[in-house]
Amino acid sequence: MAEIKHHSDLSPLSERASRLHLSSLSLAQGMREGVFRSLYRGQGMEFNGVREYLRGDDVRSIDWNVTARMNKPFVKVFDEERELDVFIVLDTSLSMRMGTGRVTRIQKAFDCAALVSLASLHNGSPVGAVVFDGAINFSCAPKHGRKQTMFLLSRFEKSVEQEATGGSALDSALLGALKLLKKRTLVMIFSDFRTAGYEDVLGRLCSKHDVIAARIGDPSDSVLPSLGTIPFADVESSFSRLLPTSSPSFKNAWFSAANRHVEFWKRSCIRHGAVPLILDTKKNSFAELQAFFTAREYR
């Protein structure tokens, strides 16, 4: 029997993942019964053989090749495919490593990716992922089983803890997913979407798959603490500027600009066929995902 590590033997991220196991059971049920429950049913019909024709069968299901060989009518039998593949797109870029509270954007994204991976395991769904910063760090097609899920969690942890390269390869990650996924899949993107040029490939991905664009936000995106005039720097470009955080007019302008940017992003997601979801670093990841998946209206 495999040894179960004590919490003190685990890294902070491994311990976080360990604590998410119980929550993932409830999330798995929410995914099955909530707004995306239809994705688990009727994904397609898998051919399962033939049987003799019975009175009342649809004549359109007759297998004429078998009927000709056997000299009596046979019909094709199909089983409904109830398996839903899940694919996670995880952003570990420099901008994701920022946050004003105890949890950074990247830690929030890790929590959510771990929860979805574990919930997929409970649902018997194959799960895969692509992890990126300024380049693609890892990708894996959806596969079944606990071994696959633990492997993904390990890769998530490694990518989060290693030093990130500058820039964002979100467009390449989405294009890679488009090429990698062979059947209709539930794709979940965990990113701050602080980049451009990914919209066209997002639309192409949405035309073939069900895509949730989960934007990882932080309170500082729209509300600044009153700290006087202090320097701010862009981690991606190293551009810096002094900002008057105590100025009411500046605070209002910062708030308005942030809201406009998010609303523009939402409309862009919907226009390209993705479902927008905003997650907050100061809120409980399980509660946010559970509320989303059990909702009856999501657009």
Side-chain angles (χ1 to χ4, degrees):
M1 180 179 293
E3 180 183 356
I4 299 175
K5 292 186 177 181
H6 189 272
H7 278 318
S8 61
D9 299 325
L10 300 176
S11 72
L13 285 174
S14 294
E15 186 173 346
R16 291 167 76 92
S18 177
R19 291 174 176 172
L20 293 172
H21 269 283
L22 188 59
S23 296
S24 67
L25 284 166
S26 296
L27 182 61
Q29 183 176 356
M31 291 174 70
R32 289 195 304 270
E33 298 178 357
V35 72
F36 285 95
R37 64 195 182 282
S38 61
L39 299 182
Y40 287 88
R41 306 187 183 107
Q43 280 290 292
M45 302 300 289
E46 182 179 10
F47 179 68
N48 194 36
V50 296
R51 61 167 173 78
E52 287 190 40
Y53 176 86
L54 299 175
R55 184 177 179 180
D57 284 339
D58 189 339
V59 294
R60 292 174 296 182
S61 65
I62 292 177
D63 187 320
W64 295 106
N65 291 327
V66 177
T67 297
R69 290 200 306 270
M70 303 300 293
N71 291 318
K72 55 183 176 180
F74 278 77
V75 295
K76 297 176 182 178
V77 177
F78 295 88
D79 287 336
E80 186 179 24
E81 293 185 70
R82 295 180 180 274
E83 183 178 87
L84 174 66
D85 285 12
V86 176
F87 192 78
I88 294 167
V89 181
L90 180 62
D91 183 353
T92 63
S93 62
L94 287 171
S95 62
M96 287 286 288
R97 294 163 191 263
M98 302 293 105
T100 54
R102 291 192 308 166
V103 178
T104 62
R105 290 180 178 86
I106 200 168
Q107 290 171 327
K108 177 75 174 187
F110 174 86
D111 283 357
C112 293
L115 274 168
V116 171
S117 299
L118 292 167
S120 299
L121 173 64
H122 296 314
N123 282 334
S125 296
V127 60
V130 59
V131 182
F132 70 95
D133 46 30
I136 303 299
N137 295 323
F138 164 78
S139 65
C140 178
K143 296 179 184 177
H144 283 100
R146 176 179 172 79
K147 184 177 179 180
Q148 166 75 353
T149 302
M150 296 303 106
F151 172 64
L152 289 181
L153 294 182
S154 174
R155 292 305 305 236
F156 294 162
E157 181 177 16
K158 180 179 178 180
S159 296
V160 169
E161 293 181 337
Q162 72 184 17
E163 187 175 346
T165 59
S168 173
L170 177 57
D171 57 340
S172 297
L174 298 182
L175 183 60
L178 186 62
K179 294 179 178 178
L180 188 65
L181 302 175
K182 303 304 181 185
K183 58 179 284 190
R184 193 164 189 88
T185 299
L186 175 60
V187 180
M188 295 202 68
I189 308 168
F190 296 107
S191 172
D192 58 6
F193 292 91
R194 294 193 175 199
T195 186
Y198 65 87
E199 293 85 359
D200 288 345
V201 69
L202 174 65
R204 292 167 58 192
L205 187 66
C206 292
S207 69
K208 296 180 178 293
H209 305 283
D210 298 281
V211 180
I212 302 169
R215 183 186 185 95
I216 310 296
D218 185 82
S220 63
D221 293 339
S222 57
V223 179
L224 291 176
S226 297
L227 300 174
T229 300
I230 58 175
F232 279 69
D234 185 335
V235 293
E236 297 284 3
S237 66
S238 297
F239 173 81
S240 63
R241 175 173 292 183
L242 292 172
L243 299 180
T245 62
S246 297
S247 165
S249 60
F250 180 78
K251 283 177 172 288
N252 290 335
W254 182 277
F255 181 82
S256 298
N259 284 350
R260 287 196 302 271
H261 184 72
V262 170
E263 287 304 314
F264 177 83
W265 170 81
K266 282 183 181 178
R267 291 194 298 271
S268 178
C269 286
I270 294 171
R271 184 169 66 252
H272 287 91
V275 179
L277 168 64
I278 296 179
L279 302 171
D280 191 324
T281 57
K282 289 207 169 181
K283 293 183 179 179
N284 180 278
S285 298
F286 163 71
E288 288 185 297
L289 290 174
Q290 182 77 333
F292 175 76
F293 279 113
T294 55
R296 300 304 176 188
E297 299 288 340
Y298 62 89
R299 287 194 183 277

